[in-house]
CSV table of all heavy atoms in Angstrom, one decimal:
chain,number,residue,atom,x,y,z
A,26,MET,N,-2.6,-47.4,25.9
A,26,MET,CA,-2.5,-46.1,26.3
A,26,MET,C,-2.0,-45.1,25.2
A,26,MET,O,-0.9,-45.4,24.7
A,26,MET,CB,-1.7,-45.9,27.6
A,26,MET,CG,-1.5,-44.5,28.2
A,26,MET,SD,-0.7,-44.5,29.7
A,26,MET,CE,-1.0,-42.9,30.3
A,27,PRO,N,-2.6,-44.0,24.8
A,27,PRO,CA,-2.2,-43.2,23.7
A,27,PRO,C,-0.9,-42.4,24.1
A,27,PRO,O,-0.8,-42.1,25.4
A,27,PRO,CB,-3.3,-42.3,23.4
A,27,PRO,CG,-4.2,-42.3,24.6
A,27,PRO,CD,-3.9,-43.6,25.4
A,28,ASP,N,-0.1,-42.1,23.1
A,28,ASP,CA,1.1,-41.3,23.4
A,28,ASP,C,0.7,-39.9,23.6
A,28,ASP,O,0.3,-39.1,22.6
A,28,ASP,CB,2.0,-41.5,22.2
A,28,ASP,CG,3.4,-40.8,22.5
A,28,ASP,OD1,3.6,-40.4,23.7
A,28,ASP,OD2,4.2,-40.8,21.6
A,29,ILE,N,1.0,-39.3,24.7
A,29,ILE,CA,0.6,-37.9,25.1
A,29,ILE,C,1.4,-36.9,24.1
A,29,ILE,O,0.9,-35.9,23.8
A,29,ILE,CB,0.7,-37.6,26.5
A,29,ILE,CG1,-0.4,-38.5,27.3
A,29,ILE,CG2,0.4,-36.1,26.8
A,29,ILE,CD1,-0.2,-38.4,28.8
A,30,GLN,N,2.6,-37.2,24.0
A,30,GLN,CA,3.6,-36.4,23.3
A,30,GLN,C,3.1,-36.1,21.9
A,30,GLN,O,3.5,-35.1,21.2
A,30,GLN,CB,4.9,-36.9,23.3
A,30,GLN,CG,5.6,-37.0,24.7
A,30,GLN,CD,5.7,-35.6,25.4
A,30,GLN,OE1,6.0,-34.6,24.7
A,30,GLN,NE2,5.5,-35.6,26.6
A,31,ALA,N,2.5,-37.1,21.3
A,31,ALA,CA,2.1,-37.1,19.8
A,31,ALA,C,0.9,-36.1,19.6
A,31,ALA,O,0.6,-35.8,18.5
A,31,ALA,CB,1.9,-38.4,19.3
A,32,VAL,N,0.1,-35.8,20.6
A,32,VAL,CA,-1.1,-35.0,20.5
A,32,VAL,C,-0.7,-33.6,20.6
A,32,VAL,O,-0.1,-33.1,21.6
A,32,VAL,CB,-2.1,-35.4,21.6
A,32,VAL,CG1,-3.3,-34.5,21.4
A,32,VAL,CG2,-2.5,-36.9,21.4
A,33,ARG,N,-1.0,-32.8,19.5
A,33,ARG,CA,-0.6,-31.3,19.5
A,33,ARG,C,-1.8,-30.6,20.4
A,33,ARG,O,-2.9,-30.6,20.1
A,33,ARG,CB,-0.5,-30.9,18.2
A,33,ARG,CG,-0.1,-29.4,18.0
A,33,ARG,CD,0.1,-29.0,16.6
A,33,ARG,NE,-1.1,-29.2,15.7
A,33,ARG,CZ,-2.0,-28.3,15.5
A,33,ARG,NH1,-2.1,-27.2,16.2
A,33,ARG,NH2,-3.1,-28.6,14.7
A,34,PRO,N,-1.3,-29.7,21.3
A,34,PRO,CA,-2.3,-28.9,22.1
A,34,PRO,C,-3.0,-28.0,21.2
A,34,PRO,O,-2.4,-27.5,20.1
A,34,PRO,CB,-1.5,-28.2,23.0
A,34,PRO,CG,-0.2,-28.9,23.1
A,34,PRO,CD,0.0,-29.6,21.8
A,35,LEU,N,-4.2,-27.5,21.4
A,35,LEU,CA,-4.9,-26.6,20.5
A,35,LEU,C,-4.3,-25.3,20.5
A,35,LEU,O,-4.6,-24.6,19.5
A,35,LEU,CB,-6.4,-26.5,21.0
A,35,LEU,CG,-7.2,-27.9,21.0
A,35,LEU,CD1,-8.6,-27.7,21.5
A,35,LEU,CD2,-7.4,-28.1,19.5
A,36,SER,N,-3.6,-24.8,21.5
A,36,SER,CA,-3.1,-23.6,21.5
A,36,SER,C,-1.8,-23.4,20.7
A,36,SER,O,-1.4,-22.3,20.4
A,36,SER,CB,-2.7,-23.0,22.9
A,36,SER,OG,-1.8,-24.0,23.5
A,37,THR,N,-1.2,-24.5,20.2
A,37,THR,CA,0.0,-24.5,19.4
A,37,THR,C,-0.4,-24.2,18.0
A,37,THR,O,-1.2,-24.9,17.3
A,37,THR,CB,0.7,-25.8,19.5
A,37,THR,OG1,1.0,-26.2,20.9
A,37,THR,CG2,2.0,-25.8,18.7
A,38,PRO,N,0.3,-23.1,17.4
A,38,PRO,CA,0.0,-22.8,16.0
A,38,PRO,C,0.5,-23.9,15.1
A,38,PRO,O,1.5,-24.6,15.3
A,38,PRO,CB,0.8,-21.5,15.7
A,38,PRO,CG,1.9,-21.5,16.8
A,38,PRO,CD,1.3,-22.3,18.0
A,39,ALA,N,-0.2,-24.1,13.9
A,39,ALA,CA,0.1,-25.1,13.0
A,39,ALA,C,1.3,-24.8,12.3
A,39,ALA,O,2.1,-25.6,11.8
A,39,ALA,CB,-1.1,-25.4,12.0
A,40,VAL,N,1.6,-23.5,12.1
A,40,VAL,CA,2.8,-23.0,11.3
A,40,VAL,C,3.7,-22.2,12.4
A,40,VAL,O,3.3,-21.4,13.0
A,40,VAL,CB,2.4,-22.0,10.2
A,40,VAL,CG1,3.6,-21.6,9.4
A,40,VAL,CG2,1.5,-22.8,9.2
A,41,SER,N,5.0,-22.7,12.3
A,41,SER,CA,5.9,-22.1,13.3
A,41,SER,C,6.2,-20.6,12.8
A,41,SER,O,6.2,-20.3,11.7
A,41,SER,CB,7.2,-22.9,13.4
A,41,SER,OG,7.9,-22.7,12.2
A,42,PRO,N,6.5,-19.8,13.8
A,42,PRO,CA,6.8,-18.4,13.5
A,42,PRO,C,8.1,-18.3,12.6
A,42,PRO,O,8.2,-17.4,11.7
A,42,PRO,CB,7.3,-17.8,14.8
A,42,PRO,CG,6.5,-18.6,15.7
A,42,PRO,CD,6.5,-19.9,15.2
A,43,ARG,N,9.1,-19.2,12.6
A,43,ARG,CA,10.2,-19.2,11.8
A,43,ARG,C,9.8,-19.4,10.3
A,43,ARG,O,10.3,-18.7,9.3
A,43,ARG,CB,11.1,-20.4,12.2
A,43,ARG,CG,12.5,-20.4,11.4
A,43,ARG,CD,13.4,-21.4,11.9
A,43,ARG,NE,14.6,-21.4,11.3
A,43,ARG,CZ,15.8,-22.0,11.7
A,43,ARG,NH1,15.7,-22.6,12.9
A,43,ARG,NH2,16.8,-21.8,11.1
A,44,VAL,N,8.8,-20.3,10.0
A,44,VAL,CA,8.3,-20.5,8.6
A,44,VAL,C,7.6,-19.2,8.1
A,44,VAL,O,7.8,-18.8,7.0
A,44,VAL,CB,7.4,-21.7,8.6
A,44,VAL,CG1,6.6,-21.8,7.3
A,44,VAL,CG2,8.1,-23.0,8.9
A,45,LEU,N,6.9,-18.6,9.1
A,45,LEU,CA,6.1,-17.4,8.6
A,45,LEU,C,7.1,-16.3,8.3
A,45,LEU,O,7.0,-15.5,7.2
A,45,LEU,CB,5.3,-16.9,9.8
A,45,LEU,CG,4.0,-17.8,10.0
A,45,LEU,CD1,3.2,-17.1,11.2
A,45,LEU,CD2,3.1,-17.7,8.8
A,46,VAL,N,8.3,-16.1,9.1
A,46,VAL,CA,9.3,-15.1,8.8
A,46,VAL,C,10.0,-15.3,7.4
A,46,VAL,O,10.2,-14.5,6.7
A,46,VAL,CB,10.3,-15.1,10.0
A,46,VAL,CG1,11.5,-14.1,9.6
A,46,VAL,CG2,9.6,-14.4,11.2
A,47,THR,N,10.3,-16.6,7.2
A,47,THR,CA,11.0,-17.0,6.0
A,47,THR,C,10.0,-16.7,4.9
A,47,THR,O,10.4,-16.2,3.7
A,47,THR,CB,11.3,-18.5,6.0
A,47,THR,OG1,12.1,-18.8,7.1
A,47,THR,CG2,12.0,-18.9,4.8
A,48,ALA,N,8.7,-17.1,4.9
A,48,ALA,CA,7.8,-16.9,3.9
A,48,ALA,C,7.6,-15.4,3.6
A,48,ALA,O,7.6,-14.9,2.4
A,48,ALA,CB,6.5,-17.5,4.1
A,49,ALA,N,7.6,-14.5,4.6
A,49,ALA,CA,7.5,-13.1,4.4
A,49,ALA,C,8.7,-12.6,3.7
A,49,ALA,O,8.7,-11.7,2.8
A,49,ALA,CB,7.3,-12.4,5.8
A,50,GLY,N,9.9,-13.0,4.1
A,50,GLY,CA,11.1,-12.6,3.4
A,50,GLY,C,11.1,-13.0,2.0
A,50,GLY,O,11.5,-12.2,1.1
A,51,VAL,N,10.7,-14.2,1.6
A,51,VAL,CA,10.6,-14.6,0.2
A,51,VAL,C,9.6,-13.7,-0.6
A,51,VAL,O,9.8,-13.2,-1.7
A,51,VAL,CB,10.2,-16.1,0.1
A,51,VAL,CG1,9.8,-16.5,-1.3
A,51,VAL,CG2,11.3,-17.0,0.7
A,52,VAL,N,8.5,-13.4,0.0
A,52,VAL,CA,7.5,-12.5,-0.5
A,52,VAL,C,8.1,-11.1,-0.8
A,52,VAL,O,7.9,-10.6,-1.9
A,52,VAL,CB,6.2,-12.5,0.2
A,52,VAL,CG1,5.4,-11.2,-0.3
A,52,VAL,CG2,5.5,-13.8,0.3
A,53,VAL,N,8.8,-10.6,0.1
A,53,VAL,CA,9.4,-9.3,0.0
A,53,VAL,C,10.5,-9.3,-1.2
A,53,VAL,O,10.4,-8.3,-2.1
A,53,VAL,CB,10.1,-8.9,1.3
A,53,VAL,CG1,10.9,-7.6,1.0
A,53,VAL,CG2,9.0,-8.5,2.3
A,54,LEU,N,11.3,-10.4,-1.2
A,54,LEU,CA,12.2,-10.5,-2.3
A,54,LEU,C,11.6,-10.5,-3.6
A,54,LEU,O,12.0,-9.9,-4.7
A,54,LEU,CB,13.1,-11.7,-2.1
A,54,LEU,CG,14.2,-11.4,-0.9
A,54,LEU,CD1,15.0,-12.8,-0.8
A,54,LEU,CD2,15.1,-10.3,-1.3
A,55,LEU,N,10.5,-11.4,-3.7
A,55,LEU,CA,9.8,-11.4,-5.1
A,55,LEU,C,9.2,-10.1,-5.5
A,55,LEU,O,9.1,-9.8,-6.6
A,55,LEU,CB,8.7,-12.6,-5.0
A,55,LEU,CG,9.3,-14.0,-4.9
A,55,LEU,CD1,8.2,-15.0,-4.7
A,55,LEU,CD2,10.2,-14.3,-6.2
A,56,LEU,N,8.6,-9.4,-4.5
A,56,LEU,CA,8.0,-8.2,-4.8
A,56,LEU,C,9.1,-7.1,-5.4
A,56,LEU,O,8.9,-6.4,-6.2
A,56,LEU,CB,7.3,-7.5,-3.7
A,56,LEU,CG,6.0,-8.1,-3.3
A,56,LEU,CD1,5.4,-7.6,-2.0
A,56,LEU,CD2,5.0,-8.0,-4.4
A,57,LEU,N,10.2,-7.1,-4.7
A,57,LEU,CA,11.4,-6.3,-5.1
A,57,LEU,C,11.9,-6.7,-6.5
A,57,LEU,O,12.1,-5.8,-7.4
A,57,LEU,CB,12.5,-6.4,-4.1
A,57,LEU,CG,13.8,-5.6,-4.4
A,57,LEU,CD1,13.4,-4.1,-4.4
A,57,LEU,CD2,14.9,-6.0,-3.5
A,58,LEU,N,11.8,-8.1,-6.7
A,58,LEU,CA,12.3,-8.4,-8.2
A,58,LEU,C,11.2,-8.0,-9.1
A,58,LEU,O,11.5,-7.5,-10.3
A,58,LEU,CB,12.4,-9.9,-8.2
A,58,LEU,CG,12.9,-10.6,-9.5
A,58,LEU,CD1,14.2,-10.0,-9.9
A,58,LEU,CD2,12.8,-12.1,-9.4
A,59,ALA,N,10.0,-8.1,-8.8
A,59,ALA,CA,8.9,-7.7,-9.8
A,59,ALA,C,9.0,-6.2,-10.0
A,59,ALA,O,8.8,-5.7,-11.1
A,59,ALA,CB,7.5,-8.0,-9.1
A,60,TYR,N,9.3,-5.5,-9.0
A,60,TYR,CA,9.4,-4.0,-9.1
A,60,TYR,C,10.6,-3.6,-10.0
A,60,TYR,O,10.5,-2.8,-10.9
A,60,TYR,CB,9.7,-3.3,-7.7
A,60,TYR,CG,10.0,-1.9,-7.7
A,60,TYR,CD1,9.0,-1.0,-7.9
A,60,TYR,CD2,11.3,-1.4,-7.7
A,60,TYR,CE1,9.3,0.4,-8.0
A,60,TYR,CE2,11.6,-0.1,-7.8
A,60,TYR,CZ,10.6,0.8,-7.9
A,60,TYR,OH,10.9,2.2,-8.0
A,61,LEU,N,11.7,-4.3,-9.8
A,61,LEU,CA,12.9,-4.0,-10.8
A,61,LEU,C,12.5,-4.4,-12.1
A,61,LEU,O,13.0,-3.7,-13.0
A,61,LEU,CB,14.1,-4.9,-10.2
A,61,LEU,CG,14.7,-4.3,-9.0
A,61,LEU,CD1,15.9,-5.3,-8.5
A,61,LEU,CD2,15.3,-3.0,-9.1
A,62,VAL,N,11.9,-5.6,-12.3
A,62,VAL,CA,11.7,-6.0,-13.7
A,62,VAL,C,10.6,-5.0,-14.4
A,62,VAL,O,10.7,-4.7,-15.5
A,62,VAL,CB,11.1,-7.4,-13.7
A,62,VAL,CG1,10.5,-7.7,-15.2
A,62,VAL,CG2,12.1,-8.4,-13.3
A,63,ALA,N,9.6,-4.7,-13.6
A,63,ALA,CA,8.5,-4.0,-14.2
A,63,ALA,C,8.7,-2.4,-14.3
A,63,ALA,O,8.2,-1.8,-15.2
A,63,ALA,CB,7.2,-4.2,-13.4
A,64,PHE,N,9.3,-1.8,-13.4
A,64,PHE,CA,9.3,-0.3,-13.3
A,64,PHE,C,10.5,0.3,-13.6
A,64,PHE,O,10.7,1.6,-13.4
A,64,PHE,CB,8.7,0.0,-11.9
A,64,PHE,CG,7.3,-0.5,-11.7
A,64,PHE,CD1,7.1,-1.5,-10.7
A,64,PHE,CD2,6.3,0.0,-12.4
A,64,PHE,CE1,5.9,-1.9,-10.6
A,64,PHE,CE2,5.0,-0.4,-12.2
A,64,PHE,CZ,4.8,-1.5,-11.3
A,65,ASP,N,11.6,-0.3,-14.0
A,65,ASP,CA,12.8,0.4,-14.3
A,65,ASP,C,12.8,0.8,-15.7
A,65,ASP,O,12.8,0.2,-16.6
A,65,ASP,CB,14.1,-0.6,-14.1
A,65,ASP,CG,15.3,0.0,-14.6
A,65,ASP,OD1,15.5,1.3,-14.1
A,65,ASP,OD2,16.0,-0.5,-15.4
A,66,GLN,N,12.7,2.1,-15.8
A,66,GLN,CA,12.8,2.8,-17.1
A,66,GLN,C,13.8,3.8,-17.1
A,66,GLN,O,13.7,4.9,-17.7
A,66,GLN,CB,11.4,3.5,-17.5
A,66,GLN,CG,10.3,2.6,-17.6
A,66,GLN,CD,10.3,1.8,-19.0
A,66,GLN,OE1,11.2,2.1,-19.9
A,66,GLN,NE2,9.4,0.9,-19.2
A,67,GLY,N,14.9,3.5,-16.4
A,67,GLY,CA,16.0,4.5,-16.3
A,67,GLY,C,16.0,5.2,-15.1
A,67,GLY,O,16.9,5.9,-14.7
A,68,ALA,N,14.9,5.2,-14.3
A,68,ALA,CA,14.8,5.9,-13.0
A,68,ALA,C,15.6,5.3,-12.0
A,68,ALA,O,16.2,6.0,-11.1
A,68,ALA,CB,13.3,6.0,-12.7
A,69,ILE,N,15.8,4.0,-12.0
A,69,ILE,CA,16.5,3.3,-11.0
A,69,ILE,C,18.1,3.3,-11.4
A,69,ILE,O,18.9,3.7,-10.7
A,69,ILE,CB,16.1,1.9,-10.7
A,69,ILE,CG1,14.6,2.0,-10.2
A,69,ILE,CG2,17.0,1.1,-9.8
A,69,ILE,CD1,14.0,0.6,-10.1
A,70,SER,N,18.3,2.8,-12.6
A,70,SER,CA,19.7,2.6,-13.0
A,70,SER,C,20.1,3.9,-13.6
A,70,SER,O,19.4,4.5,-14.5
A,70,SER,CB,19.8,1.5,-14.0
A,70,SER,OG,19.1,1.7,-15.1
A,71,GLN,N,21.2,4.4,-13.2
A,71,GLN,CA,21.8,5.7,-13.8
A,71,GLN,C,22.7,5.4,-14.9
A,71,GLN,O,23.3,6.3,-15.5
A,71,GLN,CB,22.5,6.5,-12.7
A,71,GLN,CG,21.6,6.9,-11.6
A,71,GLN,CD,20.4,7.8,-12.0
A,71,GLN,OE1,20.6,8.7,-12.8
A,71,GLN,NE2,19.3,7.6,-11.5
A,72,SER,N,23.0,4.1,-15.2
A,72,SER,CA,23.9,3.8,-16.3
A,72,SER,C,23.2,3.4,-17.5
A,72,SER,O,23.4,2.4,-18.2
A,72,SER,CB,24.8,2.6,-15.8
A,72,SER,OG,23.9,1.5,-15.5
A,73,GLY,N,22.2,4.2,-17.9
A,73,GLY,CA,21.5,4.0,-19.1
A,73,GLY,C,20.5,2.9,-19.0
A,73,GLY,O,19.8,2.8,-18.0
A,74,MET,N,20.3,2.2,-20.0
A,74,MET,CA,19.2,1.2,-20.1
A,74,MET,C,19.7,-0.2,-19.9
A,74,MET,O,19.1,-1.2,-20.3
A,74,MET,CB,18.5,1.2,-21.5
A,74,MET,CG,18.0,2.6,-21.7
A,74,MET,SD,16.6,3.0,-20.6
A,74,MET,CE,15.2,2.1,-21.3
A,75,TYR,N,20.8,-0.4,-19.2
A,75,TYR,CA,21.4,-1.7,-19.0
A,75,TYR,C,20.4,-2.6,-18.2
A,75,TYR,O,20.2,-3.7,-18.6
A,75,TYR,CB,22.8,-1.7,-18.2
A,75,TYR,CG,23.3,-3.0,-17.8
A,75,TYR,CD1,23.9,-3.8,-18.9
A,75,TYR,CD2,23.3,-3.5,-16.6
A,75,TYR,CE1,24.3,-5.0,-18.6
A,75,TYR,CE2,23.7,-4.8,-16.3
A,75,TYR,CZ,24.3,-5.5,-17.3
A,75,TYR,OH,24.9,-6.7,-17.0
A,76,LEU,N,19.9,-2.1,-17.1
A,76,LEU,CA,19.0,-3.0,-16.3
A,76,LEU,C,17.7,-3.2,-17.1
A,76,LEU,O,17.1,-4.3,-16.9
A,76,LEU,CB,18.7,-2.1,-14.9
A,76,LEU,CG,17.9,-3.0,-13.8
A,76,LEU,CD1,18.8,-4.2,-13.6
A,76,LEU,CD2,17.7,-2.2,-12.6
A,77,HIS,N,17.2,-2.3,-17.8
A,77,HIS,CA,16.1,-2.5,-18.6
A,77,HIS,C,16.3,-3.6,-19.6
A,77,HIS,O,15.5,-4.5,-19.8
A,77,HIS,CB,15.7,-1.1,-19.3
A,77,HIS,CG,14.6,-1.3,-20.4
A,77,HIS,ND1,13.3,-0.9,-20.0
A,77,HIS,CD2,14.5,-1.7,-21.6
A,77,HIS,CE1,12.5,-1.2,-20.9
A,77,HIS,NE2,13.2,-1.6,-22.0
A,78,GLU,N,17.4,-3.5,-20.3
A,78,GLU,CA,17.8,-4.5,-21.4
A,78,GLU,C,17.9,-5.9,-20.7
A,78,GLU,O,17.6,-6.9,-21.2
A,78,GLU,CB,18.9,-4.0,-22.2
A,78,GLU,CG,18.6,-2.8,-23.0
A,78,GLU,CD,17.5,-3.0,-24.1
A,78,GLU,OE1,17.3,-4.2,-24.5
A,78,GLU,OE2,16.8,-2.1,-24.3
A,79,LEU,N,18.5,-5.9,-19.5
A,79,LEU,CA,18.8,-7.2,-18.9
A,79,LEU,C,17.5,-7.9,-18.4
A,79,LEU,O,17.4,-9.1,-18.6
A,79,LEU,CB,19.6,-6.9,-17.6
A,79,LEU,CG,20.1,-8.1,-16.8
A,79,LEU,CD1,21.1,-8.9,-17.6
A,79,LEU,CD2,20.6,-7.6,-15.5
A,80,MET,N,16.4,-7.1,-18.2
A,80,MET,CA,15.2,-7.7,-17.7
A,80,MET,C,14.1,-7.6,-18.8
A,80,MET,O,12.9,-7.6,-18.5
A,80,MET,CB,14.7,-7.1,-16.4
A,80,MET,CG,15.7,-7.2,-15.3
A,80,MET,SD,15.2,-6.5,-13.8
A,80,MET,CE,16.4,-7.0,-12.7
A,81,HIS,N,14.5,-7.4,-20.0
A,81,HIS,CA,13.5,-7.1,-21.0
A,81,HIS,C,12.5,-8.2,-21.3
A,81,HIS,O,11.3,-8.0,-21.4
A,81,HIS,CB,14.2,-6.7,-22.4
A,81,HIS,CG,13.3,-6.2,-23.4
A,81,HIS,ND1,13.3,-6.7,-24.6
A,81,HIS,CD2,12.5,-5.1,-23.4
A,81,HIS,CE1,12.4,-6.0,-25.4
A,81,HIS,NE2,11.8,-5.1,-24.7
A,82,ASP,N,13.0,-9.5,-21.3
A,82,ASP,CA,12.2,-10.6,-21.5
A,82,ASP,C,11.2,-10.8,-20.4
A,82,ASP,O,10.0,-11.1,-20.6
A,82,ASP,CB,12.9,-11.8,-21.8
A,82,ASP,CG,13.7,-11.8,-23.1
A,82,ASP,OD1,13.3,-11.0,-24.0
A,82,ASP,OD2,14.6,-12.6,-23.3
A,83,GLY,N,11.7,-10.6,-19.2
A,83,GLY,CA,10.8,-10.8,-18.0
A,83,GLY,C,9.8,-9.7,-17.9
A,83,GLY,O,8.6,-10.0,-17.5
A,84,ARG,N,10.1,-8.5,-18.5
A,84,ARG,CA,9.1,-7.4,-18.5
A,84,ARG,C,8.0,-7.8,-19.4
A,84,ARG,O,6.8,-7.7,-19.1
A,84,ARG,CB,9.8,-6.2,-19.1
A,84,ARG,CG,8.9,-5.0,-19.2
A,84,ARG,CD,9.7,-3.9,-19.9
A,84,ARG,NE,10.9,-3.6,-19.1
A,84,ARG,CZ,11.0,-2.6,-18.2
A,84,ARG,NH1,10.0,-1.9,-18.0
A,84,ARG,NH2,12.1,-2.5,-17.6
A,85,HIS,N,8.3,-8.4,-20.6
A,85,HIS,CA,7.2,-8.8,-21.6
A,85,HIS,C,6.5,-10.0,-20.9
A,85,HIS,O,5.3,-10.2,-21.2
A,85,HIS,CB,7.8,-9.2,-22.9
A,85,HIS,CG,8.1,-7.9,-23.7
A,85,HIS,ND1,7.3,-7.2,-24.4
A,85,HIS,CD2,9.4,-7.3,-23.8
A,85,HIS,CE1,7.8,-6.1,-25.0
A,85,HIS,NE2,9.1,-6.2,-24.7
A,86,LEU,N,7.1,-11.0,-20.3
A,86,LEU,CA,6.4,-12.1,-19.6
A,86,LEU,C,5.4,-11.6,-18.7
A,86,LEU,O,4.3,-12.2,-18.5
A,86,LEU,CB,7.4,-13.0,-18.9
A,86,LEU,CG,8.2,-14.0,-19.8
A,86,LEU,CD1,9.1,-14.7,-19.0
A,86,LEU,CD2,7.1,-15.0,-20.4
A,87,LEU,N,5.7,-10.5,-17.9
A,87,LEU,CA,4.7,-9.9,-17.0
A,87,LEU,C,3.6,-9.0,-17.6
A,87,LEU,O,2.7,-8.7,-17.0
A,87,LEU,CB,5.5,-9.1,-15.9
A,87,LEU,CG,6.4,-9.9,-15.0
A,87,LEU,CD1,7.1,-8.9,-14.1
A,87,LEU,CD2,5.5,-10.9,-14.1
A,88,GLY,N,3.8,-8.9,-18.9
A,88,GLY,CA,2.9,-8.0,-19.7
A,88,GLY,C,3.1,-6.5,-19.4
A,88,GLY,O,2.0,-5.8,-19.6
A,89,VAL,N,4.2,-6.1,-19.1
A,89,VAL,CA,4.4,-4.7,-18.8
A,89,VAL,C,4.8,-4.1,-20.2
A,89,VAL,O,5.8,-4.6,-20.8
A,89,VAL,CB,5.5,-4.4,-17.8
A,89,VAL,CG1,5.9,-3.0,-17.6
A,89,VAL,CG2,5.1,-5.1,-16.5
A,90,PRO,N,4.2,-3.0,-20.7
A,90,PRO,CA,4.5,-2.4,-21.8
A,90,PRO,C,5.8,-1.7,-21.8
A,90,PRO,O,6.1,-1.1,-20.7
A,90,PRO,CB,3.4,-1.5,-22.2
A,90,PRO,CG,2.8,-1.2,-20.9
A,90,PRO,CD,3.0,-2.4,-20.0
A,91,CYS,N,6.7,-1.7,-22.8
A,91,CYS,CA,8.0,-1.0,-22.6
A,91,CYS,C,8.3,-0.4,-23.9
A,91,CYS,O,9.2,0.5,-24.0
A,91,CYS,CB,9.1,-1.8,-22.1
A,91,CYS,SG,9.5,-3.2,-23.3
A,92,HIS,N,7.9,-0.8,-25.0
A,92,HIS,CA,8.1,-0.1,-26.3
A,92,HIS,C,7.0,-0.4,-27.4
A,92,HIS,O,6.1,-1.1,-27.1
A,92,HIS,CB,9.5,-0.6,-26.9
A,92,HIS,CG,9.5,-2.1,-27.1
A,92,HIS,ND1,9.1,-2.8,-28.2
A,92,HIS,CD2,10.0,-3.1,-26.3
A,92,HIS,CE1,9.3,-4.1,-28.1
A,92,HIS,NE2,9.8,-4.3,-26.9
B,4,LIG,ZN1,10.1,-4.7,-24.9
């Protein structure tokens, strides 16, 4: 006799909502990081070019022109 508990009903999603929420959070954080790396030209940081210089190599890795 087959184990009924091991068979997943068709209505059960393959990915749990918790995994989806976690993945969405990770995507948002990565987009925010990409925004900070790519688009800070002094508009975000008011302390000069500190943030720009901190992320300078990442900017070039992404192919964003800066100088
Ligand atoms: Zn540069």
Side-chain angles (χ1 to χ4, degrees):
M26 181 174 189
D28 185 7
I29 297 175
Q30 297 295 327
V32 177
R33 183 172 58 85
L35 292 176
S36 61
T37 303
V40 179
S41 71
R43 185 174 185 166
V44 171
L45 288 177
V46 169
T47 302
V51 169
V52 167
V53 167
L54 286 176
L55 290 177
L56 287 174
L57 179 63
L58 180 63
Y60 175 79
L61 285 175
V62 170
F64 298 109
D65 176 49
Q66 291 286 358
I69 297 174
S70 63
Q71 297 299 318
S72 60
M74 300 296 281
Y75 176 73
L76 193 56
H77 176 96
E78 294 300 328
L79 186 66
M80 299 179 174
H81 190 233
D82 291 342
R84 179 185 305 268
H85 282 280
L86 276 175
L87 290 175
V89 177
C91 68
H92 56 85

